[in-house]
Amino acid sequence: MSNLSAQEKPSQSLANDYPLFYYLVTLLVPLLLIYISNYFFGYKKNQRISELCFSKLKPQLESHFQNIGENGQSKKESCSLYKLYATGKSNCGYILIAVEMIKRKDLLSVVVSKLRNKGDRITIEVPIRTTASLPLILAVVKQTDVQKTKRNYSDLGSFANKVKVKGLSKNLVCLAESQELASRCMTDSIVKRISELSSSVESIHITDQVVIRPEFCLTLRCAFSLDPKATLNVPKMLSVVLEIVDHCSRLEVPYPKKTLIQKSRNAISSKE
């Protein structure tokens, strides 16, 4: 009878003989299954997000650029980073669009990202060709990120200060060298487009201090947060970028004002 009882309850016998091993197995097996499931579901979700973003951007890109991606497709840099490179627009060298996502296939990265309140984002880089040399340093950032932005970008930290821009959303701040330059650069249409995206805007940064190629005097770099609802606004993000590029490429600053800006920069640099 005792032999039968032992045979009928092998798991109980194992738990009694090797309690630590038994509990480790019962704990680790479900965790392993969760991790494997998360790997495949996370990989597929990131792929879907990138495909959705680029499919929404493609019509605009096709109407402004001649050469788009590799045979019209984005390039997978990693499971959490996809990029699309396009050329053929006369007033810029290229546009580089990157969809940067949480490493969803890694369960630990997902947890850490949630704790740090980090999510998906889309970044856009464009070197701009201007009609003449243009001294311009300007950024639009969140009100809460002003000091961090000025620490991270030396040109903004050295030369830019808060300026008022009529119509700009209250949670955003414009940093520029002068009120006049901000007014010249930030047209009513651009301000309206940016304000419509106020919840998604992380930074919009235009500068003559980063020269990617000699023939392009300005560099525009933008970052937008990409929560699930924001994917609907992806075309609007590209629209505001293209409008800034078109406007700044035609922007002119009178020679006396250029001289004054350069003198001011030299004076600040000499103090530092």
Side-chain angles (χ1 to χ4, degrees), residues 230-250:
T231 54
L232 301 173
N233 291 327
V234 167
K236 292 183 179 180
M237 295 172 189
L238 183 56
S239 292
V240 73
V241 168
L242 293 174
E243 185 169 348
I244 292 171
V245 169
D246 290 340
H247 177 66
C248 288
S249 67
R250 301 187 302 266

Side-chain angles (χ1 to χ4, degrees), residues 4 13 64 78 114 138 177 188 213 263 269:
L4 182 61
S13 176
H64 287 87
S78 70
K114 294 294 183 183
L138 181 142
E177 289 180 276
D188 291 343
R213 298 179 189 172
K263 284 183 178 179
S269 297

Side-chain angles (χ1 to χ4, degrees), residues 82-249:
Y82 289 74
K83 292 183 178 180
L84 184 65
Y85 182 88
T87 59
K89 184 173 169 62
S90 61
N91 58 5
C92 68
Y94 60 81
I95 186 168
L96 178 61
I97 304 172
V99 178
E100 304 171 3
M101 295 163 287
I102 298 170
K103 295 178 180 178
R104 288 186 172 85
K105 69 173 188 175
D106 182 353
L107 187 59
L108 181 60
S109 294
V110 173
V111 174
V112 171
S113 296
K114 294 294 183 183
L115 292 174
R116 294 182 177 178
N117 200 27
K118 287 187 176 182
D120 302 330
R121 66 203 298 257
I122 184 167
T123 63
I124 303 175
E125 177 182 275
V126 188
I128 305 172
R129 178 184 280 113
T130 59
T131 53
S133 62
L134 187 64
L136 178 62
I137 296 172
L138 181 142
V140 176
V141 299
K142 289 191 182 298
Q143 183 92 309
T144 53
D145 293 340
V146 171
Q147 295 306 317
K148 182 177 73 174
T149 302
K150 294 187 77 170
R151 285 195 303 270
N152 292 340
Y153 296 95
S154 58
D155 58 335
L156 295 172
S158 298
F159 307 121
N161 294 296
K162 287 185 184 181
V163 295
K164 290 184 179 180
V165 174
K166 185 180 178 182
L168 189 64
S169 178
K170 290 182 180 180
N171 69 318
L172 299 175
V173 171
C174 181
L175 301 172
E177 289 180 276
S178 70
Q179 187 74 52
E180 181 184 346
L181 277 178
S183 299
R184 285 176 178 272
C185 185
M186 299 287 285
T187 64
D188 291 343
S189 176
I190 290 173
V191 171
K192 183 179 178 181
R193 287 181 183 273
I194 292 174
S195 294
E196 287 174 353
L197 295 168
S198 60
S199 61
S200 300
V201 172
E202 290 185 9
S203 65
I204 297 173
H205 181 208
I206 315 165
T207 181
D208 66 329
Q209 298 295 292
V210 178
V211 180
I212 295 173
R213 298 179 189 172
E215 65 268 33
F216 303 108
C217 298
L218 297 176
T219 299
L220 170 64
R221 287 174 174 161
C222 305
F224 302 93
S225 60
L226 199 61
D227 59 61
K229 293 180 181 178
T231 54
L232 301 173
N233 291 327
V234 167
K236 292 183 179 180
M237 295 172 189
L238 183 56
S239 292
V240 73
V241 168
L242 293 174
E243 185 169 348
I244 292 171
V245 169
D246 290 340
H247 177 66
C248 288
S249 67

